[in-house]
Amino acid sequence: MPSLKTLRNRINSVKSTQKITSAMKMVAAAKLRRAQAQAEAARPYTVRMGEMMAALAASEKGNPNASPLLVGNGRSQTHLIVAVTADRGLAGAFNANVIRAVRAEVKVLQAQGKAVKIFALGRKGNDALRRDMKDLIAGTKNFVGKKAVSFADAEDVARELIRGFRAGEYDVVKMVYNHFQNVMVQRVTGQPLIPAAIPTANDNVTEHNYEVEPDDGTLLDRLLPRNLAVQVYCALLENSAGFYASQMTAMDSATRNAGEMIKKLTLNYNRARQANITKELIEIISGAEAV
Amino acid sequence: MSIALEIISTEKLLLSRDVDMAVIPGTEGDIGVLPGHAKLITGLRGGLVDIYENGSISARYFVSSGFAEITESRCAVLADAIVPQEELDEATAKAALAEAKAAYDAVDIHDGYAYREAVDKLISAQAMVDSVTPHQV
């Protein structure tokens, strides 16, 4: 039986842990709201961009000179996986899920005889993947110390991805990130970046009825890199919203667990205290009887 | 008759309202967009988006570059950077121009993509300087 003093110390330490986790939960909730607002604000651009892409990409079907960013460069030997994770932890299995999905994907591709490279976007993913797949990591970037990701950040990433693709360092680019479904659910999602996933046009698929200035090809050359940046930006926004949601959930259950622990410890403490009192009483009484 | 104009930056929807006419700086020249315009997708060069209401310009926005999607009833301007014209600042614009010029001088002319990007930036920066004190229409 631990002494009263050790029990008291343990209760106090669990209490202060609970204070920290509940504060972290509040902070995560506030940051989640901000991240969600940012993701919401970026949506109109994404939607319109998708519509334009759908219209233009449909017309490029079967065009042998179509942009390699759209249809690929005809090879699929080297794959690049962009792993989007958060920069910080304490968010349950949020980062681990992405990392596990990336590892599985790498295994599958390697079993098919493909070469795989990894671009680790986010510090946690980089740290974890560096442990066992050090030689595969082709690049990394994180946003440690930044309040919110900006579009310029996503553009830098997209530019780097396109540069590597044009230099022939890889043939296919795929992004793995946490899709923010709602506060409770974040689903790990794989999204092809190069060749671009063409959003399906809902009207006639073979030919769009837009006039295009200057012309389809030239416009697509400008649109595709932009579209790539938009997709990376969206993934980063969902990643940050998902991270805070996940952290909030994790901290909530940590706070609850701490509460349960305090309850149990307090019970033990009271039992021990009462046992002590009873013991002392017995001692006094038997002492008095002996006289 | 009016047309629904949307000016959207990558980070937020800046403006969405019905206007009489919008003039947008397309890559091939300025485009006046009235209700019932033919469906059109165009690239944008740097320049001013003019919003016409009741026969005169009610607002002007500088856009750096981007795209526009025009349908019979809607005009969506997707731009990289959007600044209301009255908030443009000559010093910032000149600095941007100097930077774009330096980048243009440094670019490898044989790298088609980089070259085109540098040219786009230069045009956009020049347009920004010109837009600080635009010609009255």
Side-chain angles (χ1 to χ4, degrees), chain A residues 41-42 44-45 48-49 51-52 55-56 150-151 159 166 209-214 219 221-223 226 233, chain B residues 6 8-12 27-28 38-44 66-67 69 74 76 78 80 113 116-117:
Chain A
Y45 194 95
R48 292 275 178 266
M49 179 66 88
E51 283 173 8
M52 278 202 271
L56 287 173
S150 68
F151 186 73
R159 200 169 295 136
R166 283 188 177 139
N209 43 9
Y210 281 96
E211 281 179 48
V212 176
E213 273 184 21
L219 196 60
D221 274 349
R222 291 183 58 193
L223 199 57
R226 179 73 4 179
Y233 182 56
Chain B
E6 289 175 348
I8 310 169
S9 81
T10 47
E11 308 200 331
K12 69 175 192 217
T27 39
E28 313 281 281
K39 287 175 86 170
L40 173 75
I41 295 178
T42 178
L44 298 180
F67 311 92
E69 183 203 18
R74 189 183 73 208
L78 303 185
D80 302 355
Y113 298 109
R116 198 177 48 208
E117 205 168 291

Side-chain angles (χ1 to χ4, degrees), chain A residues 19-278:
Chain A
K19 265 184 211 146
I20 293 169
T21 56
S22 90
M24 277 181 86
K25 182 194 148 195
M26 310 277 205
V27 173
K31 288 195 172 162
L32 167 65
R33 255 198 304 280
R34 203 176 317 143
Q36 266 182 306
Q38 201 191 354
E40 197 64 43
R43 196 151 297 151
Y45 194 95
T46 323
V47 171
R48 292 275 178 266
M49 179 66 88
E51 283 173 8
M52 278 202 271
M53 277 295 295
L56 287 173
S59 71
E60 289 288 280
K61 219 171 256 172
N63 179 355
N65 297 323
S67 168
L69 286 180
L70 182 66
V71 294
N73 58 7
R75 281 170 292 159
S76 67
Q77 185 47 42
T78 313
H79 288 242
L80 179 79
I81 301 177
V82 183
V84 187
T85 53
D87 291 329
R88 278 173 302 154
L90 289 180
F94 182 78
N95 294 318
N97 284 343
V98 169
I99 292 158
R100 195 179 320 126
V102 169
R103 286 208 177 106
E105 182 86 28
V106 169
K107 290 239 168 67
V108 168
L109 286 169
Q110 279 177 339
Q112 291 170 4
K114 314 268 189 206
V116 185
K117 291 178 179 175
I118 297 173
F119 188 93
L121 197 51
R123 198 183 60 155
K124 279 286 163 185
N126 184 37
D127 289 353
L129 291 169
R130 211 160 267 278
R131 238 170 271 148
D132 58 336
M133 297 178 168
K134 200 160 178 288
D135 351 315
L136 301 183
I137 293 185
T140 176
K141 189 173 167 67
N142 62 46
F143 308 104
V144 175
K146 273 210 168 160
K147 243 188 174 151
V149 283
S150 68
F151 186 73
D153 295 328
E155 229 177 355
D156 287 346
V157 174
R159 200 169 295 136
E160 170 63 24
L161 293 179
I162 292 170
R163 187 202 58 73
F165 176 71
R166 283 188 177 139
E169 289 168 23
Y170 33 78
D171 309 314
V172 177
V173 182
K174 192 179 168 194
M175 178 167 64
V176 178
Y177 70 104
N178 265 306
H179 172 66
F180 181 85
Q181 209 146 24
N182 56 45
V183 178
M184 294 306 291
V185 184
Q186 291 89 39
R187 190 150 292 158
V188 177
T189 313
Q191 187 181 2
L193 292 180
I194 305 173
I198 302 159
T200 39
N202 38 12
D203 45 1
N204 50 350
V205 206
T206 44
E207 207 174 323
H208 63 79
N209 43 9
Y210 281 96
E211 281 179 48
V212 176
E213 273 184 21
D215 60 79
D216 288 18
T218 319
L219 196 60
L220 265 177
D221 274 349
R222 291 183 58 193
L223 199 57
L224 283 163
R226 179 73 4 179
N227 187 48
L228 191 76
V230 166
Q231 281 176 323
V232 172
Y233 182 56
C234 273
L236 284 174
L237 290 181
E238 294 211 15
N239 174 60
S240 91
F243 168 74
Y244 288 123
S246 182
Q247 184 169 57
M248 195 177 87
T249 329
M251 286 303 123
D252 184 49
S253 59
T255 308
R256 227 170 316 121
N257 285 346
E260 263 164 44
M261 197 149 175
I262 290 171
K263 233 192 242 162
K264 231 184 272 166
L265 284 173
T266 317
L267 192 71
N268 278 349
Y269 173 76
N270 286 340
R271 269 206 197 122
R273 193 171 53 89
Q274 275 167 338
N276 265 355
I277 293 169
T278 319

